[in-house]
Amino acid sequence: MKFGRKITTNLYDEWRPFYIDYNLLKRELKSRTTSHSWDDKDERDFTAMLNKELDKVHDFQKQKTAELSCRIRDAEKDVQKLVAQESSSSEPSPIHCSDPESHQARPSDYGPDEGSDDDDDIDDNQSDASLEDLFHGLQEEVATLVADVHDLALYTKLNITGFLKILKKHDKITNLPLKPTFIQKYLEERPFYKYNWDALIVKLSKLYNLVRTRGHPVQGDSSAGGNQSAFVRQTTKYWVHPDNLVPLKLAILRHLPVLVFNAEKEFEQKDAAITSIYFDNEDLELYLGRLEKTEGAEAIRLRWYGDTDVKTIFVERKTHREDWTGEKSVKARFPIKEHLVNAFLRGEYTMDAELQALADKGKKTQAEVDSMIQLASEVQYRILTKQLHPVMRTFYNRTAFQLPGDPRVRISLDTELTMVREDNWDGQTRTGDNWRRTDIGIDHPFDQVAADDKELFKYGVLEVKLQTQFGQEPPKWVTDLVQSYLVEAVPKFSKFIHGCATLLPNRVDLVPFWLPQMDTDILKPNTGYLTVERPMKNTPDLQSGLFSPISPVSPVPSYVEPVSEGEDDEEMDLAPARDEDRRTGLPQEDVAAAIAFREKSLKERDRTSQFNGSSSTPEEVCDERTPLLKLPRPPTVSIDPLAPSSAFDESLRERLQANKNAPPRAQDGEIQEAAGLDEENLREEERLLVRDWSAPSGKRIAVPVRIEPKVYFANERTFLKWLSFAVLIGSIATTLLNFVPADDPRGLISAALFTLAALFAIAYSAIIFVYRALRLRARSAEGLYYDKYGPTILCFVLLAALGTNIALRVADM
């Protein structure tokens, strides 16, 4: 589809005059170049037209974001007035609003008499039904705000795309490089496309939370979800295309609030920043261990939150555990003061006294302190013995979503992910003798760093953590989210692994499976499954205006993804964000609508849980192939890297046969150019997964291989079976030798043949046993694990021995 038609189709009609007039610019460019040769006057006129369009777009976006902020503030005041009115009508005694998120309201504004004498909109004699109608009207306003935020984000995307496309077309037709000049001189001065939606989303989330709870936010319960000794933890990771970040945040916001460490603190962009320094040696021992998922593989990092001026650094160790051990992969950490880090890494300082002080002050229990002291000793020993040094830094801005005190669903979205080299191995001094670089902070995209020293990850990283009762299905909205076009599943994705593989190409021969797929665009066709729709007038349900399925009659097929290794959640003092619109960067209207729907869903869930109850069952440990969403597998063509090719061929044949017998579908949507497949006409469940990609030159793709102890036992058991059979054949040969006369050459020949068969079985089985054991130690999925030649050859040898024996005896008759 041409971009001119695309922008006309996707724009919000009420804002039509404020979009870039792409078709006008294209016609002007075409008419001037066809009527005469392009000259300096044409260049000046065309640049002036572009500048005029840029001013129009920039001013409208600035005006609209300010308007959205004001509307959110007004909606917050309306909610607070309704809550005060509801409290005064239901309680005989004066009650002040207990909502911690409405802390900005003064007590004098919401006394027991408020809303009667000073408020013209709310009547003292209103019934509960009238109050509910007012809340429903407020829900519609919140839904409209959500839609405005979504449309404004799409407005920004369409306009910046229009400017870049028309500049590219200009440079191609006129052979004059206007694009670099215009971007630097004009776009950088009015960078409407760089607007950070996080702050607006956090504000909208706060409003949403107020509306859905009727001003009374949900109080967290550590036991939410039933007996916590009978749960299953599962973690999955996904990539998110930049175009889908805002819709995804809005979709999550409808069900989970933004979680922050300090709800009373006004949001700043640095509050979302997380930086980690990973350690490894020149052999990249830790990298290879994490990549191959070997038992006990560790990752050691130093992490801090916010800017580089923080005083507390966290030393963390992640340890991978194979499922057969019965243990779970764990992440443990302890705090250390920033000025003590270098001394600790050199072994000149121990953490015993500092950590013991935590127990003496009552901040930690003695058991917790003893565990941290042991962790600090082990980490320090590992750093010194393995000669670990800073190798890579990761930076990203994180938006976390979770109900306070409810660990059943926790979602985090990391954006602006950047990996930066920290090592000195190539002779270039980066960290020197320090534990981190001092020339950079959190100023993404780190323009002062050389291009070869940084990797700007182009996608967002979504992590979904579920903690459910054994046998319990995940929430349906989570199922819908991971099935949608907004995300692309990438099991076992690791920032550390990706950074080492991209920043150290000369030292890395083994790369992760997702690296060759980085050049493939993960942007999927918009199936309309999660689409922001503006609420209809007089609609009492907020859900009708938010992310409604376009085709509810046709259910979206179930979807199953493999999961990443689980990690224990950190125990921190967390609370819902009061300014979710700012933290998520979404418009306040959108956040408010999401909050209202979220509260409605939570109330319905609580009412349902009162009748269903919960039962305690033994805890189940999920392996890496346990599906996050326990749903029937759809008829997709999926690929298991360890499965034989015949399995793939069979599934592909079945799918092709099913497609052949199925009635033709109506073709709609945009046809992507030079895609090789008409992906727009493929339904989500029909997206073909291919395996014709290969590793970069000189590299090998690491495929995680599960090797449990029983595999080694199976190898030994097979060897013993061969030995027992060889002993049986040897017994036959011994019997012949003992009972055949010494002057009977035919009997001696038969005994010799059976002896050779027994010796062949022993030698062959020993060679295969050693070969398999070595391949298992190397965690190789390729080997003679299926022996289709040995038993056949042994049978022929035995038949030859028996046949010779019979033939000799017959000839002797």
Side-chain angles (χ1 to χ4, degrees), residues 23 25 132 221 242 356 360 401 408 413 521 524 535 558 571 582 596 601 645 649 659 693 740 755 779 783:
N23 291 326
L25 293 171
E132 192 64 22
D221 183 6
Q356 185 60 43
D360 298 339
F401 302 86
R408 285 177 288 185
L413 179 60
D521 190 6
K524 306 175 187 176
S558 57
E571 297 181 359
R582 292 186 60 194
S601 302
S645 59
D649 296 337
N659 291 342
W693 44 267
V740 172
T755 302
R779 304 181 67 85

Side-chain angles (χ1 to χ4, degrees), residues 179-189:
K179 184 176 179 179
T181 305
F182 189 84
I183 291 177
Q184 184 177 2
K185 187 176 181 180
Y186 297 98
L187 276 178
E188 291 297 333
E189 293 180 358

Side-chain angles (χ1 to χ4, degrees), residues 162-436:
F163 278 111
L164 295 179
K165 283 187 172 292
I166 197 64
L167 288 170
K168 180 180 179 181
K169 188 179 292 292
H170 166 275
D171 295 353
K172 181 179 179 180
I173 295 177
T174 63
N175 293 325
L176 296 176
L178 176 61
K179 184 176 179 179
T181 305
F182 189 84
I183 291 177
Q184 184 177 2
K185 187 176 181 180
Y186 297 98
L187 276 178
E188 291 297 333
E189 293 180 358
R190 284 158 289 187
F192 70 94
Y193 57 95
K194 292 184 178 180
Y195 183 79
N196 191 338
W197 299 97
D198 288 347
L200 204 55
I201 289 179
V202 172
K203 288 182 180 179
L204 192 54
S205 176
K206 174 187 173 183
L207 176 58
Y208 200 169
N209 196 37
L210 287 174
V211 173
R212 68 169 186 166
T213 59
R214 300 298 191 262
H216 302 285
V218 176
Q219 298 299 322
D221 183 6
S222 60
S223 62
N227 183 2
Q228 295 304 301
S229 64
F231 58 80
V232 179
R233 281 199 185 105
Q234 298 172 337
T235 302
T236 50
K237 293 182 180 179
Y238 304 85
W239 288 348
V240 184
H241 194 277
D243 294 348
N244 294 332
L245 289 176
V246 172
L248 178 65
K249 290 179 181 179
L250 290 173
I252 301 173
L253 201 60
R254 297 175 60 229
H255 304 277
L256 297 176
V258 176
L259 203 64
V260 295
F261 298 114
N262 186 359
E264 300 298 323
K265 182 180 181 296
E266 188 69 17
F267 172 74
E268 300 179 45
Q269 188 57 43
K270 67 178 182 180
D271 296 337
I274 299 180
T275 311
S276 302
I277 305 293
Y278 287 88
F279 285 71
D280 208 339
N281 52 31
E282 295 195 38
D283 296 330
L284 296 181
E285 184 177 347
L286 300 190
Y287 165 81
L288 294 175
R290 300 294 295 184
L291 179 60
E292 297 177 329
K293 299 296 178 185
T294 56
E295 165 59 23
E298 295 179 341
I300 296 176
R301 68 188 180 196
L302 272 62
R303 168 171 289 190
W304 69 92
Y305 303 89
D307 210 338
T308 55
D309 57 353
V310 296
K311 302 301 182 183
T312 302
I313 308 297
F314 292 94
V315 181
E316 299 183 351
R317 182 185 65 182
K318 299 172 67 175
T319 306
H320 172 71
R321 296 298 181 191
E322 293 278 17
D323 294 332
W324 55 263
T325 63
E327 302 179 8
K328 294 183 67 64
S329 298
V330 295
K331 177 172 63 176
R333 70 178 190 174
F334 62 89
I336 184 175
K337 299 300 182 182
E338 193 276 335
H339 66 279
L340 299 175
V341 172
N342 285 323
F344 173 79
L345 296 178
R346 291 192 296 265
E348 301 170 358
Y349 178 81
T350 60
M351 296 295 300
D352 297 18
E354 184 174 347
L355 294 177
Q356 185 60 43
L358 297 177
D360 298 339
K361 296 177 181 178
K363 296 182 179 179
K364 296 285 185 180
T365 65
Q366 188 61 46
E368 292 174 334
V369 168
D370 292 341
S371 177
M372 287 194 295
I373 291 176
Q374 180 181 357
L375 173 65
S377 300
E378 293 176 356
V379 170
Q380 189 176 50
Y381 176 79
R382 196 80 75 244
I383 291 175
L384 295 176
T385 56
K386 292 184 177 291
Q387 298 182 352
L388 303 181
H389 301 281
V391 61
M392 186 199 64
R393 168 186 305 213
T394 62
F395 166 83
Y396 49 87
N397 289 311
R398 168 165 291 182
T399 305
F401 302 86
Q402 182 185 346
L403 288 173
D406 188 349
R408 285 177 288 185
V409 180
R410 181 179 180 181
I411 298 178
S412 62
L413 179 60
D414 300 336
T415 56
E416 298 179 344
L417 173 59
T418 307
M419 296 85 165
V420 181
R421 287 189 66 171
E422 296 275 337
D423 64 276
N424 307 315
W425 296 335
D426 58 354
Q428 182 178 349
T429 302
R430 296 182 179 89
T431 58
D433 295 330
N434 196 28
W435 65 277
R436 65 178 176 183

Side-chain angles (χ1 to χ4, degrees), residues 78-94:
D78 293 340
V79 173
Q80 292 166 351
K81 291 178 181 178
L82 288 177
V83 171
Q85 176 65 19
E86 185 179 30
S87 301
S88 62
S89 62
S90 60
E91 296 292 339
S93 59

Side-chain angles (χ1 to χ4, degrees), residues 348-643:
E348 301 170 358
Y349 178 81
T350 60
M351 296 295 300
D352 297 18
E354 184 174 347
L355 294 177
Q356 185 60 43
L358 297 177
D360 298 339
K361 296 177 181 178
K363 296 182 179 179
K364 296 285 185 180
T365 65
Q366 188 61 46
E368 292 174 334
V369 168
D370 292 341
S371 177
M372 287 194 295
I373 291 176
Q374 180 181 357
L375 173 65
S377 300
E378 293 176 356
V379 170
Q380 189 176 50
Y381 176 79
R382 196 80 75 244
I383 291 175
L384 295 176
T385 56
K386 292 184 177 291
Q387 298 182 352
L388 303 181
H389 301 281
V391 61
M392 186 199 64
R393 168 186 305 213
T394 62
F395 166 83
Y396 49 87
N397 289 311
R398 168 165 291 182
T399 305
F401 302 86
Q402 182 185 346
L403 288 173
D406 188 349
R408 285 177 288 185
V409 180
R410 181 179 180 181
I411 298 178
S412 62
L413 179 60
D414 300 336
T415 56
E416 298 179 344
L417 173 59
T418 307
M419 296 85 165
V420 181
R421 287 189 66 171
E422 296 275 337
D423 64 276
N424 307 315
W425 296 335
D426 58 354
Q428 182 178 349
T429 302
R430 296 182 179 89
T431 58
D433 295 330
N434 196 28
W435 65 277
R436 65 178 176 183
R437 298 176 64 145
T438 58
D439 59 334
I440 59 176
I442 59 172
D443 47 340
H444 181 271
F446 308 103
D447 295 329
Q448 68 273 32
V449 179
D452 294 339
D453 281 0
K454 65 180 178 180
E455 169 72 12
L456 300 177
F457 195 73
K458 59 183 179 181
Y459 301 128
V461 179
L462 180 76
E463 186 171 1
V464 180
K465 293 185 178 181
L466 291 182
Q467 179 174 300
T468 57
Q469 294 289 312
F470 174 62
Q472 180 183 3
E473 297 293 338
K476 185 179 183 302
W477 71 268
V478 178
T479 307
D480 296 339
L481 183 69
V482 299
Q483 289 183 91
S484 69
Y485 68 96
L486 298 174
V487 299
E488 177 74 16
V490 187
K492 296 185 281 292
F493 174 75
S494 167
K495 303 179 182 70
F496 169 55
I497 292 175
H498 185 84
C500 290
T502 54
L503 295 175
L504 304 171
N506 296 329
R507 292 179 175 270
V508 171
D509 295 328
L510 203 61
V511 298
F513 71 90
W514 63 79
L515 192 62
Q517 306 176 62
M518 287 299 298
D519 295 333
T520 303
D521 190 6
I522 65 171
L523 187 62
K524 306 175 187 176
N526 187 338
T527 59
Y529 187 70
L530 290 174
T531 303
V532 175
E533 296 179 354
R534 295 183 177 274
M536 303 297 294
K537 295 299 181 181
N538 300 324
T539 301
D541 190 357
L542 181 65
Q543 183 178 2
S544 61
L546 290 173
F547 296 94
S548 301
I550 287 182
S551 303
V553 178
S554 302
V556 175
S558 57
Y559 185 63
V560 176
E561 289 292 351
V563 302
S564 306
E565 63 176 89
E567 296 175 4
D568 292 336
D569 290 338
E570 304 170 5
E571 297 181 359
M572 298 180 182
D573 185 15
L574 301 175
R578 294 172 36 253
D579 47 357
E580 288 184 287
D581 53 345
R582 292 186 60 194
R583 295 183 182 275
T584 53
L586 297 179
Q588 297 176 353
E589 292 86 346
D590 292 0
V591 173
I595 294 175
F597 177 78
R598 185 172 68 204
E599 288 303 328
K600 180 176 180 296
S601 302
L602 289 174
K603 290 181 179 180
E604 294 178 354
R605 187 191 69 181
D606 293 339
R607 286 196 298 267
T608 303
S609 61
Q610 292 177 358
F611 296 98
N612 295 339
S614 61
S615 59
S616 176
T617 56
E619 179 179 354
E620 175 184 306
V621 179
C622 297
D623 60 29
E624 295 173 355
R625 290 169 292 185
T626 302
L628 166 65
L629 308 172
K630 299 181 182 299
L631 298 172
R633 186 176 293 274
T636 56
V637 181
S638 59
I639 295 177
D640 182 0
L642 303 183

Side-chain angles (χ1 to χ4, degrees), residues 38-45 176:
W38 189 270
D39 53 23
D40 293 339
K41 182 178 181 302
D42 295 326
E43 186 74 5
R44 290 193 301 270
D45 293 345
L176 296 176

